[in-house]
Amino acid sequence: MGILNVTPDSFSDGGMFVDRERALAHARRMVADGADIIDIGGESTRPGATPVPADVELDRVVPLVEALAREGIRVSVDTHKPVVMRAALAAGAGMINDVRALREPGAMEAAAAGHATVCLMHMQGYPGTMQAEPHYDDVVLEVRDFLVERAACCEAAGIARDRIVIDPGFGFGKTLAHNLALMRSLGVFKAAGYPVLVGLSRKSMLGGIAGRDVNERAAASVAAALAAIARGAAIVRVHDVRETVDALNVWQAIETG
Ligand code: 9MG
């Protein structure tokens, strides 16, 4: 999954793809490099990000969904707003990626309409304050139980099991120790019976380990993506598609002979 942030303030690529033609060109580049899905975000989810009104988000996202879907590209939309979900689905999106796991009023119903896949992500708290003092007694079991419970709510709302993807939400209300514990136990999430999505690309956790600024974390991100796939991740959400696909191809050739 290639990341396309059409925001002025995302943590790594903020402001780079606000221009529509540049955004489309970048999406096409990621597909040519091997991305199967393009995840479009019109509101930053980084810690402390400013919320965006729905009309602004709609204007940023919907024309891109329409254009890419028309070209046969599989599009995911990163949003928690029901009105954006509905418009994105009508414009041809095949996936809703919600960092709030469809907890906003009306989000579940909006995502259930149609046949799109939904990605349910775990987040403790809200983007403004989530990194202040994250706390868990057992991070793996608490995050797993939350996601299984949200998936059950989705199924009760009519979203078939094979439309659901789960995501532990690396960096969303988690310390480095929490993130590492989740990564080491990714098999627990796979065992829950849903495909697992992992998003670690360029995140500060990797910066802390590698000692690199945000735009110098490609190698660290590729290592994290491969570690996630080795532990059972079905989808990795990345900025550096070409580098990730190259590494994955080499790794798979070695593994499968
Ligand atoms: C939007 N967004 C930012 N980070 C993410 C992550 O780790 N997972 C998902 N599903 N979405 C994310």
Side-chain angles (χ1 to χ4, degrees), residues 123-176:
M123 169 166 59
Q124 186 179 86
Y126 288 95
T129 52
M130 65 189 176
Q131 288 307 104
E133 244 177 291
H135 172 81
Y136 303 83
D137 291 325
D138 184 327
V139 65
V140 174
L141 294 186
E142 287 173 46
V143 173
R144 193 271 318 263
D145 288 352
F146 168 86
L147 292 171
V148 167
E149 195 256 337
R150 292 308 297 158
C153 291
C154 284
E155 290 185 51
I159 301 176
R161 196 178 172 86
D162 64 1
R163 291 171 56 196
I164 301 171
V165 172
I166 59 172
D167 178 347
F170 290 93
F172 285 81
K174 282 136 194 135
T175 63
L176 174 59

Side-chain angles (χ1 to χ4, degrees), residues 39 45 78 97 99 119 121 167 169-170 172 197 199 203 237:
D39 189 42
T45 53
D78 149 25
N97 172 28
V99 300
C119 177
M121 199 199 77
D167 178 347
F170 290 93
F172 285 81
L197 186 153
K203 286 190 178 172
R237 183 179 179 275

Side-chain angles (χ1 to χ4, degrees), residues 37-163:
I37 311 168
I38 300 299
D39 189 42
I40 305 177
E43 177 178 57
S44 174
T45 53
R46 71 175 167 76
T50 313
V52 167
D55 58 329
V56 174
E57 195 178 331
L58 285 165
D59 184 56
R60 288 177 182 170
V61 166
V62 173
L64 296 174
V65 177
E66 266 165 7
L68 295 175
R70 210 179 303 124
E71 293 173 24
I73 294 174
R74 181 146 191 243
V75 178
S76 160
V77 172
D78 149 25
T79 187
H80 63 270
K81 295 190 184 79
V83 65
V84 178
M85 291 176 189
R86 287 188 191 279
L89 294 174
M95 183 166 181
I96 299 294
N97 172 28
D98 185 0
V99 300
R100 299 190 188 187
L102 304 178
R103 283 179 290 168
E104 292 296 302
M108 184 72 76
E109 294 75 12
H115 303 283
T117 303
V118 298
C119 177
L120 307 170
M121 199 199 77
H122 176 273
M123 169 166 59
Q124 186 179 86
Y126 288 95
T129 52
M130 65 189 176
Q131 288 307 104
E133 244 177 291
H135 172 81
Y136 303 83
D137 291 325
D138 184 327
V139 65
V140 174
L141 294 186
E142 287 173 46
V143 173
R144 193 271 318 263
D145 288 352
F146 168 86
L147 292 171
V148 167
E149 195 256 337
R150 292 308 297 158
C153 291
C154 284
E155 290 185 51
I159 301 176
R161 196 178 172 86
D162 64 1
R163 291 171 56 196

